[in-house]
PDB file of all heavy atoms in Angstrom:
ATOM      1  N   GLY A   1      85.274  98.149  95.494  1.00  0.00           N
ATOM      2  CA  GLY A   1      84.751  97.264  96.531  1.00  0.00           C
ATOM      3  C   GLY A   1      85.837  96.968  97.550  1.00  0.00           C
ATOM      4  O   GLY A   1      85.587  96.852  98.736  1.00  0.00           O
ATOM      5  N   GLY A   2      87.078  96.814  97.049  1.00  0.00           N
ATOM      6  CA  GLY A   2      88.219  96.740  97.956  1.00  0.00           C
ATOM      7  C   GLY A   2      88.990  95.445  98.009  1.00  0.00           C
ATOM      8  O   GLY A   2      89.778  95.245  98.933  1.00  0.00           O
ATOM      9  N   SER A   3      88.838  94.547  97.028  1.00  0.00           N
ATOM     10  CA  SER A   3      89.481  93.228  97.149  1.00  0.00           C
ATOM     11  C   SER A   3      90.990  93.291  96.984  1.00  0.00           C
ATOM     12  O   SER A   3      91.727  92.624  97.715  1.00  0.00           O
ATOM     13  CB  SER A   3      88.869  92.247  96.151  1.00  0.00           C
ATOM     14  OG  SER A   3      89.081  92.655  94.811  1.00  0.00           O
ATOM     15  N   ASN A   4      91.483  94.075  96.015  1.00  0.00           N
ATOM     16  CA  ASN A   4      92.933  94.104  95.829  1.00  0.00           C
ATOM     17  C   ASN A   4      93.614  94.789  97.007  1.00  0.00           C
ATOM     18  O   ASN A   4      94.693  94.383  97.432  1.00  0.00           O
ATOM     19  CB  ASN A   4      93.289  94.776  94.493  1.00  0.00           C
ATOM     20  CG  ASN A   4      93.598  96.248  94.593  1.00  0.00           C
ATOM     21  OD1 ASN A   4      94.729  96.660  94.835  1.00  0.00           O
ATOM     22  ND2 ASN A   4      92.577  97.074  94.434  1.00  0.00           N
ATOM     23  N   ALA A   5      92.963  95.804  97.563  1.00  0.00           N
ATOM     24  CA  ALA A   5      93.549  96.521  98.703  1.00  0.00           C
ATOM     25  C   ALA A   5      93.595  95.638  99.943  1.00  0.00           C
ATOM     26  O   ALA A   5      94.628  95.550 100.615  1.00  0.00           O
ATOM     27  CB  ALA A   5      92.756  97.797  98.985  1.00  0.00           C
ATOM     28  N   ILE A   6      92.506  94.951 100.253  1.00  0.00           N
ATOM     29  CA  ILE A   6      92.501  94.128 101.458  1.00  0.00           C
ATOM     30  C   ILE A   6      93.428  92.933 101.279  1.00  0.00           C
ATOM     31  O   ILE A   6      94.028  92.444 102.247  1.00  0.00           O
ATOM     32  CB  ILE A   6      91.073  93.668 101.824  1.00  0.00           C
ATOM     33  CG1 ILE A   6      90.941  93.455 103.344  1.00  0.00           C
ATOM     34  CG2 ILE A   6      90.648  92.424 101.075  1.00  0.00           C
ATOM     35  CD1 ILE A   6      91.003  94.718 104.142  1.00  0.00           C
ATOM     36  N   GLY A   7      93.589  92.466 100.031  1.00  0.00           N
ATOM     37  CA  GLY A   7      94.544  91.387  99.782  1.00  0.00           C
ATOM     38  C   GLY A   7      95.962  91.782 100.111  1.00  0.00           C
ATOM     39  O   GLY A   7      96.742  90.981 100.624  1.00  0.00           O
ATOM     40  N   LEU A   8      96.310  93.046  99.845  1.00  0.00           N
ATOM     41  CA  LEU A   8      97.631  93.556 100.188  1.00  0.00           C
ATOM     42  C   LEU A   8      97.725  93.910 101.663  1.00  0.00           C
ATOM     43  O   LEU A   8      98.716  93.600 102.337  1.00  0.00           O
ATOM     44  CB  LEU A   8      97.945  94.788  99.341  1.00  0.00           C
ATOM     45  CG  LEU A   8      99.290  95.480  99.603  1.00  0.00           C
ATOM     46  CD1 LEU A   8     100.462  94.563  99.249  1.00  0.00           C
ATOM     47  CD2 LEU A   8      99.380  96.784  98.801  1.00  0.00           C
ATOM     48  N   PHE A   9      96.695  94.554 102.210  1.00  0.00           N
ATOM     49  CA  PHE A   9      96.741  95.068 103.578  1.00  0.00           C
ATOM     50  C   PHE A   9      96.723  93.980 104.642  1.00  0.00           C
ATOM     51  O   PHE A   9      97.344  94.116 105.700  1.00  0.00           O
ATOM     52  CB  PHE A   9      95.536  95.976 103.848  1.00  0.00           C
ATOM     53  CG  PHE A   9      95.505  97.264 103.093  1.00  0.00           C
ATOM     54  CD1 PHE A   9      94.379  98.092 103.172  1.00  0.00           C
ATOM     55  CD2 PHE A   9      96.566  97.682 102.310  1.00  0.00           C
ATOM     56  CE1 PHE A   9      94.323  99.287 102.497  1.00  0.00           C
ATOM     57  CE2 PHE A   9      96.519  98.884 101.611  1.00  0.00           C
ATOM     58  CZ  PHE A   9      95.389  99.691 101.705  1.00  0.00           C
ATOM     59  N   HIS A  10      95.974  92.912 104.374  1.00  0.00           N
ATOM     60  CA  HIS A  10      95.587  91.998 105.452  1.00  0.00           C
ATOM     61  C   HIS A  10      96.770  91.409 106.215  1.00  0.00           C
ATOM     62  O   HIS A  10      96.740  91.306 107.447  1.00  0.00           O
ATOM     63  CB  HIS A  10      94.712  90.875 104.896  1.00  0.00           C
ATOM     64  CG  HIS A  10      94.149  89.980 105.950  1.00  0.00           C
ATOM     65  ND1 HIS A  10      93.241  90.413 106.891  1.00  0.00           N
ATOM     66  CD2 HIS A  10      94.389  88.682 106.228  1.00  0.00           C
ATOM     67  CE1 HIS A  10      92.947  89.422 107.698  1.00  0.00           C
ATOM     68  NE2 HIS A  10      93.622  88.359 107.322  1.00  0.00           N
ATOM     69  N   GLU A  11      97.797  91.062 105.505  1.00  0.00           N
ATOM     70  CA  GLU A  11      98.975  90.468 106.132  1.00  0.00           C
ATOM     71  C   GLU A  11      99.647  91.417 107.113  1.00  0.00           C
ATOM     72  O   GLU A  11     100.358  90.980 108.030  1.00  0.00           O
ATOM     73  CB  GLU A  11      99.967  90.050 105.032  1.00  0.00           C
ATOM     74  CG  GLU A  11     101.298  89.510 105.521  1.00  0.00           C
ATOM     75  CD  GLU A  11     101.183  88.140 106.180  1.00  0.00           C
ATOM     76  OE1 GLU A  11     100.147  87.470 106.008  1.00  0.00           O
ATOM     77  OE2 GLU A  11     102.157  87.736 106.851  1.00  0.00           O
ATOM     78  N   PHE A  12      99.401  92.711 106.971  1.00  0.00           N
ATOM     79  CA  PHE A  12     100.128  93.717 107.744  1.00  0.00           C
ATOM     80  C   PHE A  12      99.251  94.463 108.759  1.00  0.00           C
ATOM     81  O   PHE A  12      99.697  95.451 109.342  1.00  0.00           O
ATOM     82  CB  PHE A  12     100.780  94.728 106.792  1.00  0.00           C
ATOM     83  CG  PHE A  12     101.746  94.105 105.823  1.00  0.00           C
ATOM     84  CD1 PHE A  12     101.329  93.684 104.568  1.00  0.00           C
ATOM     85  CD2 PHE A  12     103.082  93.911 106.175  1.00  0.00           C
ATOM     86  CE1 PHE A  12     102.215  93.100 103.672  1.00  0.00           C
ATOM     87  CE2 PHE A  12     103.982  93.328 105.290  1.00  0.00           C
ATOM     88  CZ  PHE A  12     103.546  92.923 104.040  1.00  0.00           C
ATOM     89  N   LEU A  13      98.041  93.994 108.981  1.00  0.00           N
ATOM     90  CA  LEU A  13      97.145  94.701 109.898  1.00  0.00           C
ATOM     91  C   LEU A  13      97.706  94.782 111.306  1.00  0.00           C
ATOM     92  O   LEU A  13      97.458  95.758 112.028  1.00  0.00           O
ATOM     93  CB  LEU A  13      95.773  94.023 109.924  1.00  0.00           C
ATOM     94  CG  LEU A  13      94.915  94.167 108.663  1.00  0.00           C
ATOM     95  CD1 LEU A  13      93.603  93.413 108.842  1.00  0.00           C
ATOM     96  CD2 LEU A  13      94.664  95.624 108.321  1.00  0.00           C
ATOM     97  N   ASP A  14      98.456  93.778 111.711  1.00  0.00           N
ATOM     98  CA  ASP A  14      99.028  93.754 113.055  1.00  0.00           C
ATOM     99  C   ASP A  14     100.445  94.314 113.103  1.00  0.00           C
ATOM    100  O   ASP A  14     101.156  94.108 114.097  1.00  0.00           O
ATOM    101  CB  ASP A  14      99.017  92.326 113.614  1.00  0.00           C
ATOM    102  CG  ASP A  14      97.600  91.822 113.863  1.00  0.00           C
ATOM    103  OD1 ASP A  14      96.716  92.654 114.132  1.00  0.00           O
ATOM    104  OD2 ASP A  14      97.383  90.602 113.776  1.00  0.00           O
ATOM    105  N   GLU A  15     100.852  94.994 112.039  1.00  0.00           N
ATOM    106  CA  GLU A  15     102.173  95.620 111.991  1.00  0.00           C
ATOM    107  C   GLU A  15     101.992  97.140 112.082  1.00  0.00           C
ATOM    108  O   GLU A  15     101.760  97.806 111.073  1.00  0.00           O
ATOM    109  CB  GLU A  15     102.905  95.251 110.693  1.00  0.00           C
ATOM    110  CG  GLU A  15     103.153  93.771 110.501  1.00  0.00           C
ATOM    111  CD  GLU A  15     104.243  93.228 111.420  1.00  0.00           C
ATOM    112  OE1 GLU A  15     104.861  94.028 112.152  1.00  0.00           O
ATOM    113  OE2 GLU A  15     104.468  92.007 111.406  1.00  0.00           O
ATOM    114  N   PRO A  16     102.072  97.714 113.284  1.00  0.00           N
ATOM    115  CA  PRO A  16     101.754  99.146 113.445  1.00  0.00           C
ATOM    116  C   PRO A  16     102.688 100.084 112.710  1.00  0.00           C
ATOM    117  O   PRO A  16     102.335 101.245 112.484  1.00  0.00           O
ATOM    118  CB  PRO A  16     101.849  99.351 114.964  1.00  0.00           C
ATOM    119  CG  PRO A  16     102.708  98.231 115.461  1.00  0.00           C
ATOM    120  CD  PRO A  16     102.430  97.073 114.567  1.00  0.00           C
ATOM    121  N   THR A  17     103.862  99.617 112.312  1.00  0.00           N
ATOM    122  CA  THR A  17     104.791 100.487 111.590  1.00  0.00           C
ATOM    123  C   THR A  17     104.448 100.607 110.109  1.00  0.00           C
ATOM    124  O   THR A  17     105.024 101.451 109.407  1.00  0.00           O
ATOM    125  CB  THR A  17     106.236  99.971 111.712  1.00  0.00           C
ATOM    126  OG1 THR A  17     106.331  98.682 111.092  1.00  0.00           O
ATOM    127  CG2 THR A  17     106.655  99.878 113.181  1.00  0.00           C
ATOM    128  N   VAL A  18     103.535  99.771 109.632  1.00  0.00           N
ATOM    129  CA  VAL A  18     103.177  99.777 108.211  1.00  0.00           C
ATOM    130  C   VAL A  18     101.913 100.620 108.018  1.00  0.00           C
ATOM    131  O   VAL A  18     100.856 100.309 108.562  1.00  0.00           O
ATOM    132  CB  VAL A  18     102.957  98.351 107.673  1.00  0.00           C
ATOM    133  CG1 VAL A  18     102.604  98.395 106.187  1.00  0.00           C
ATOM    134  CG2 VAL A  18     104.197  97.497 107.900  1.00  0.00           C
ATOM    135  N   ARG A  19     102.046 101.670 107.244  1.00  0.00           N
ATOM    136  CA  ARG A  19     100.931 102.584 106.968  1.00  0.00           C
ATOM    137  C   ARG A  19     100.113 102.050 105.799  1.00  0.00           C
ATOM    138  O   ARG A  19     100.659 101.695 104.751  1.00  0.00           O
ATOM    139  CB  ARG A  19     101.496 103.970 106.656  1.00  0.00           C
ATOM    140  CG  ARG A  19     100.495 105.082 106.499  1.00  0.00           C
ATOM    141  CD  ARG A  19     101.237 106.404 106.258  1.00  0.00           C
ATOM    142  NE  ARG A  19     100.319 107.474 105.927  1.00  0.00           N
ATOM    143  CZ  ARG A  19     100.698 108.673 105.482  1.00  0.00           C
ATOM    144  NH1 ARG A  19     101.999 108.939 105.329  1.00  0.00           N
ATOM    145  NH2 ARG A  19      99.798 109.597 105.186  1.00  0.00           N
ATOM    146  N   LEU A  20      98.803 101.982 105.946  1.00  0.00           N
ATOM    147  CA  LEU A  20      97.907 101.442 104.931  1.00  0.00           C
ATOM    148  C   LEU A  20      97.088 102.579 104.322  1.00  0.00           C
ATOM    149  O   LEU A  20      96.391 103.297 105.045  1.00  0.00           O
ATOM    150  CB  LEU A  20      96.960 100.399 105.535  1.00  0.00           C
ATOM    151  CG  LEU A  20      97.590  99.323 106.429  1.00  0.00           C
ATOM    152  CD1 LEU A  20      96.507  98.400 106.976  1.00  0.00           C
ATOM    153  CD2 LEU A  20      98.646  98.528 105.667  1.00  0.00           C
ATOM    154  N   ILE A  21      97.145 102.711 102.994  1.00  0.00           N
ATOM    155  CA  ILE A  21      96.444 103.802 102.317  1.00  0.00           C
ATOM    156  C   ILE A  21      95.631 103.254 101.150  1.00  0.00           C
ATOM    157  O   ILE A  21      96.179 102.611 100.246  1.00  0.00           O
ATOM    158  CB  ILE A  21      97.423 104.873 101.801  1.00  0.00           C
ATOM    159  CG1 ILE A  21      98.234 105.470 102.951  1.00  0.00           C
ATOM    160  CG2 ILE A  21      96.667 105.976 101.058  1.00  0.00           C
ATOM    161  CD1 ILE A  21      99.288 106.473 102.508  1.00  0.00           C
ATOM    162  N   GLY A  22      94.335 103.516 101.170  1.00  0.00           N
ATOM    163  CA  GLY A  22      93.456 103.157 100.065  1.00  0.00           C
ATOM    164  C   GLY A  22      93.034 104.411  99.318  1.00  0.00           C
ATOM    165  O   GLY A  22      92.808 105.460  99.919  1.00  0.00           O
ATOM    166  N   VAL A  23      92.912 104.298  97.992  1.00  0.00           N
ATOM    167  CA  VAL A  23      92.597 105.453  97.152  1.00  0.00           C
ATOM    168  C   VAL A  23      91.323 105.175  96.356  1.00  0.00           C
ATOM    169  O   VAL A  23      91.259 104.212  95.584  1.00  0.00           O
ATOM    170  CB  VAL A  23      93.756 105.795  96.199  1.00  0.00           C
ATOM    171  CG1 VAL A  23      93.423 107.049  95.393  1.00  0.00           C
ATOM    172  CG2 VAL A  23      95.058 105.987  96.973  1.00  0.00           C
ATOM    173  N   GLU A  24      90.333 106.027  96.560  1.00  0.00           N
ATOM    174  CA  GLU A  24      89.041 105.897  95.885  1.00  0.00           C
ATOM    175  C   GLU A  24      88.971 106.800  94.660  1.00  0.00           C
ATOM    176  O   GLU A  24      89.848 107.625  94.422  1.00  0.00           O
ATOM    177  CB  GLU A  24      87.921 106.282  96.843  1.00  0.00           C
ATOM    178  CG  GLU A  24      87.823 105.434  98.083  1.00  0.00           C
ATOM    179  CD  GLU A  24      86.631 105.817  98.930  1.00  0.00           C
ATOM    180  OE1 GLU A  24      86.571 106.958  99.430  1.00  0.00           O
ATOM    181  OE2 GLU A  24      85.738 104.969  99.077  1.00  0.00           O
ATOM    182  N   ALA A  25      87.868 106.662  93.918  1.00  0.00           N
ATOM    183  CA  ALA A  25      87.650 107.468  92.716  1.00  0.00           C
ATOM    184  C   ALA A  25      86.850 108.721  93.063  1.00  0.00           C
ATOM    185  O   ALA A  25      85.688 108.631  93.471  1.00  0.00           O
ATOM    186  CB  ALA A  25      86.913 106.650  91.667  1.00  0.00           C
ATOM    187  N   ALA A  26      87.469 109.890  92.887  1.00  0.00           N
ATOM    188  CA  ALA A  26      86.772 111.161  93.125  1.00  0.00           C
ATOM    189  C   ALA A  26      86.021 111.638  91.891  1.00  0.00           C
ATOM    190  O   ALA A  26      85.347 112.667  91.939  1.00  0.00           O
ATOM    191  CB  ALA A  26      87.770 112.228  93.570  1.00  0.00           C
ATOM    192  N   GLY A  27      86.142 110.895  90.774  1.00  0.00           N
ATOM    193  CA  GLY A  27      85.390 111.249  89.570  1.00  0.00           C
ATOM    194  C   GLY A  27      85.658 112.674  89.120  1.00  0.00           C
ATOM    195  O   GLY A  27      86.796 113.065  88.874  1.00  0.00           O
ATOM    196  N   GLU A  28      84.604 113.471  89.048  1.00  0.00           N
ATOM    197  CA  GLU A  28      84.733 114.876  88.671  1.00  0.00           C
ATOM    198  C   GLU A  28      84.955 115.770  89.884  1.00  0.00           C
ATOM    199  O   GLU A  28      84.950 116.996  89.761  1.00  0.00           O
ATOM    200  CB  GLU A  28      83.499 115.311  87.886  1.00  0.00           C
ATOM    201  CG  GLU A  28      83.347 114.585  86.551  1.00  0.00           C
ATOM    202  CD  GLU A  28      82.145 115.033  85.751  1.00  0.00           C
ATOM    203  OE1 GLU A  28      81.454 115.986  86.193  1.00  0.00           O
ATOM    204  OE2 GLU A  28      81.901 114.451  84.681  1.00  0.00           O
ATOM    205  N   GLY A  29      85.159 115.148  91.048  1.00  0.00           N
ATOM    206  CA  GLY A  29      85.406 115.894  92.283  1.00  0.00           C
ATOM    207  C   GLY A  29      84.443 115.471  93.368  1.00  0.00           C
ATOM    208  O   GLY A  29      83.258 115.238  93.102  1.00  0.00           O
ATOM    209  N   VAL A  30      84.934 115.349  94.601  1.00  0.00           N
ATOM    210  CA  VAL A  30      84.083 114.868  95.692  1.00  0.00           C
ATOM    211  C   VAL A  30      83.000 115.870  96.066  1.00  0.00           C
ATOM    212  O   VAL A  30      82.030 115.510  96.744  1.00  0.00           O
ATOM    213  CB  VAL A  30      84.918 114.500  96.943  1.00  0.00           C
ATOM    214  CG1 VAL A  30      85.793 113.300  96.672  1.00  0.00           C
ATOM    215  CG2 VAL A  30      85.740 115.688  97.421  1.00  0.00           C
ATOM    216  N   ASN A  31      83.134 117.107  95.646  1.00  0.00           N
ATOM    217  CA  ASN A  31      82.096 118.101  95.899  1.00  0.00           C
ATOM    218  C   ASN A  31      81.104 118.210  94.752  1.00  0.00           C
ATOM    219  O   ASN A  31      80.192 119.034  94.783  1.00  0.00           O
ATOM    220  CB  ASN A  31      82.739 119.474  96.161  1.00  0.00           C
ATOM    221  CG  ASN A  31      83.549 119.478  97.448  1.00  0.00           C
ATOM    222  OD1 ASN A  31      83.149 118.893  98.450  1.00  0.00           O
ATOM    223  ND2 ASN A  31      84.712 120.119  97.425  1.00  0.00           N
TER     224      ASN A  31
END
């Protein structure tokens, strides 16, 4: 859903030098 990621990201949204990466579950493969 994204709560832990947005909790980390939110403080840095206005910091263009900070790269934000979220990782989802591909399960048995996205295809």
Side-chain angles (χ1 to χ4, degrees):
S3 63
N4 95 88
I6 209 69
L8 178 64
F9 293 173
H10 186 66
E11 175 70 16
F12 301 92
L13 290 179
D14 293 331
E15 299 287 356
T17 63
V18 181
R19 187 177 172 190
L20 312 178
I21 301 176
V23 183
E24 299 184 297
E28 296 181 4
V30 293
N31 294 320

